Amino acid sequence: TKDVNPSYGSIQKLSVRDSDLVAFCEDRVLQVFANKDALYNADGNTNVVATNKVLGIAKPFIGDYGISKNPESFASDAYRSYFTDTSRGAVLRLSQDGLTPISSAGMKDWFADNLTKYTTPVHKIIGSFDDKKQEYNISLVDGDLSLSSKTISYSEKSKGWVSFKSFVQENGVSLNNSYYTFKFGKLYEHHVNEVRNNFYNAQ
């Protein structure tokens, strides 16, 4: 077992990377060394050494962000992970260069105003990554799937928020460069319908 600082809140999501484990707490994101540990020298530098410990030190990423209580907003693509922090009204990307608030790419005020509304159990923020379009899609879902639910996309190619979309997903996944989402428990493939703005057999 591994204890982390209780001031970071509860651990909401665990994600595995090549050489470590990432723990997404309510108020902080931690890098946990796996199958190795870091020894600190007197000058502050670290030496990573092999050890028989399963979990080594837990090191926070720079930035006062967490995943709040919305682990369903998490999506990953290769070395990048995406998630929301409703407590701080931000959307984050965790990459090799650390944490980046991608909500600041032209949508900072919009997310600050809207994400805080999705903090109750009847609301969800569903995240998925579209490999084909290289976009992170987040659906802000009201409990009754009403017309106020919406989906918005962040593009890695454009480095910005490119579109509101007319579908609201229950979940989503990419496989072999194809993008699938779920609606009412059924699986749908995107980018194969020649009819524009037709999602889940609805125009």
Side-chain angles (χ1 to χ4, degrees), residues 26-121:
E26 292 178 52
D27 299 310
R28 196 60 79 89
V29 182
L30 307 172
Q31 177 186 25
V32 182
F33 291 101
N35 294 323
K36 56 187 176 297
D37 207 346
L39 300 179
Y40 287 88
N41 299 329
D43 59 3
N45 293 325
T46 59
N47 291 321
V48 177
V49 297
T51 177
N52 58 2
K53 290 182 180 179
V54 176
L55 297 175
I57 64 168
K59 178 182 177 183
F61 287 97
I62 296 175
D64 293 326
Y65 296 103
I67 201 169
S68 295
K69 291 189 177 181
N70 298 98
E72 72 277 5
S73 68
F74 176 87
S76 63
D77 170 59
Y79 57 88
R80 295 184 295 253
S81 299
Y82 304 85
F83 59 98
T84 62
D85 186 346
T86 55
S87 298
R88 293 157 189 84
V91 184
L92 288 305
R93 177 184 62 208
L94 175 61
S95 187
Q96 291 176 324
D97 57 352
L99 282 172
T100 303
I102 58 175
S103 51
S104 297
M107 295 286 285
K108 182 177 181 180
D109 289 341
W110 190 90
F111 281 112
D113 293 340
N114 286 273
L115 284 183
T116 54
K117 301 174 184 177
Y118 290 83
T119 56
T120 65

Side-chain angles (χ1 to χ4, degrees), residues 109-145:
D109 289 341
W110 190 90
F111 281 112
D113 293 340
N114 286 273
L115 284 183
T116 54
K117 301 174 184 177
Y118 290 83
T119 56
T120 65
V122 298
H123 296 94
K124 292 187 181 298
I125 303 176
I126 309 295
S128 63
F129 192 84
D130 184 346
D131 273 350
K132 194 163 190 175
K133 297 265 186 171
Q134 288 293 292
E135 291 176 352
Y136 170 54
N137 295 321
I138 51 174
S139 296
L140 307 181
V141 184
D142 285 339
D144 57 357
L145 294 176

Side-chain angles (χ1 to χ4, degrees), residues 156-192:
E156 276 298 334
K157 295 178 182 178
S158 303
K159 301 298 181 187
W161 298 91
V162 293
S163 180
F164 283 93
K165 294 184 174 174
S166 55
F167 68 87
V168 178
Q169 61 186 327
E170 292 174 350
N171 209 332
V173 64
S174 287
L175 178 66
N176 297 334
N177 205 36
S178 295
Y179 179 56
Y180 305 90
T181 62
F182 292 85
K183 189 69 171 182
F184 301 121
K186 294 182 179 180
L187 181 68
Y188 292 85
E189 183 177 357
H190 290 243
H191 315 310
V192 293

